[in-house]
Amino acid sequence: MFKNLQLRQKFTILLTIILVMGLSISGLVLSSVLTQNAKREVTSTALMLMETMISVREYTDSQITPELKEKLATSFAPQSVPAYSAREVFENLRKKGDYRDFFYKEATLNPTNIRDKADAFETTIVDKFKSQPKVKEISDFRSLPGGDIFYVARPLSVSKETCLQCHSTPDVAPKSMLTRYGTANGFNWKLNEIIGAQIVFVPASKVIQKAHQSSLGITLIVSLIFFVTILLVNIFLNREVVRPLKRITRVAEEVSTGHMDVEFEELSNDEIGNLAKAFKRMKLSLDMAMRRLKRPPGNTHEGTGG
């Protein structure tokens, strides 16, 4: 079937096959690249949010807690706990449209507030930070029954001695805190010890959606470029190859039927032009041969002696 098609149709099919194969291969590569870019973009946002929460913790520890010191002697105020302040600020931030899909947790192995207790998966992250102090950041996907999520984690350590005022031993902790949370959890921390991890979660669909949106846009642009290329190639092929070949074919057919008054036009110096020149030389040779054939034979007269 392919051999019965016209030259322009063959080129169109060939270019279309190249387009499909090119889009398929580039689509796979592009999807991987854009997914990595989306992960980096989400990671960058998550790290910015973590730095913001660190600032909130430091503000709470340096300015809020000292102001509530006298009150803490008689009644416990959770607003004085840096982890509590960070969590509450983040929840307020999530009310903004850009961050509603982000979730924040200070997953701690031995927290005062059970809300911050690390689950089995988060515990493995904390243990990795503890066993590999040089690892400062972990990001990957986590599978959950409700769907995959993407997470970014950083180690959380006891960086200030003021933290030990509440988390060293129960006998030095504020009585009001013991009344609220008891003495079973949140103690025996040590300075510079990694006690948990800052983790920001975001649904994996958000990462994949970002990648797909970028991939779709680029694919449409590439497809448009290929379509325009196929159109331009067809126009060029029709003008520079198909039409000249049709003219040469038509003239050759007329010459084959004995019409020697037609001429092969030399419109270019490329292969098509060389073909026209070859046909022109062939026509001249054929014309000369036909003239010789049409020439009447000469008469030879022998003289007789007398």
Side-chain angles (χ1 to χ4, degrees), residues 207-267:
V207 178
I208 296 173
Q209 182 181 7
K210 281 180 174 288
H212 284 176
Q213 287 175 345
S214 300
S215 179
L216 179 61
I218 295 177
T219 301
L220 289 176
I221 293 174
V222 173
S223 299
L224 180 61
I225 292 174
F226 265 95
F227 176 79
V228 173
T229 300
I230 292 175
L231 181 62
L232 293 177
V233 167
N234 271 277
I235 293 174
F236 175 82
L237 188 66
N238 186 62
R239 178 179 176 181
E240 300 295 329
V241 179
V242 176
R243 287 182 181 176
L245 284 178
K246 285 183 177 179
R247 284 195 295 266
I248 292 174
T249 302
R250 186 176 65 253
V251 174
E253 289 175 348
E254 292 185 11
V255 171
S256 68
T257 58
H259 296 84
M260 305 302 293
D261 55 336
V262 294
E263 294 291 340
F264 290 96
E265 299 180 13
E266 301 176 23
L267 300 177

Side-chain angles (χ1 to χ4, degrees), residues 62-118:
S62 63
Q63 299 193 41
I64 302 300
T65 302
E67 293 294 326
L68 298 176
K69 187 175 182 179
E70 294 182 2
K71 182 179 178 180
L72 292 175
T74 56
S75 63
F76 181 74
Q79 292 80 8
S80 65
V81 180
Y84 178 90
S85 297
R87 185 73 173 263
E88 291 299 311
V89 169
F90 196 91
E91 289 303 314
N92 286 332
L93 187 62
R94 286 189 61 230
K95 296 177 182 178
K96 307 290 183 181
D98 294 339
Y99 303 106
R100 65 177 180 271
D101 294 325
F102 289 81
F103 299 88
Y104 176 77
K105 183 177 180 180
E106 294 186 359
T108 310
L109 298 180
N110 180 26
T112 302
N113 190 339
I114 300 301
R115 182 182 71 169
D116 299 324
K117 178 71 175 178

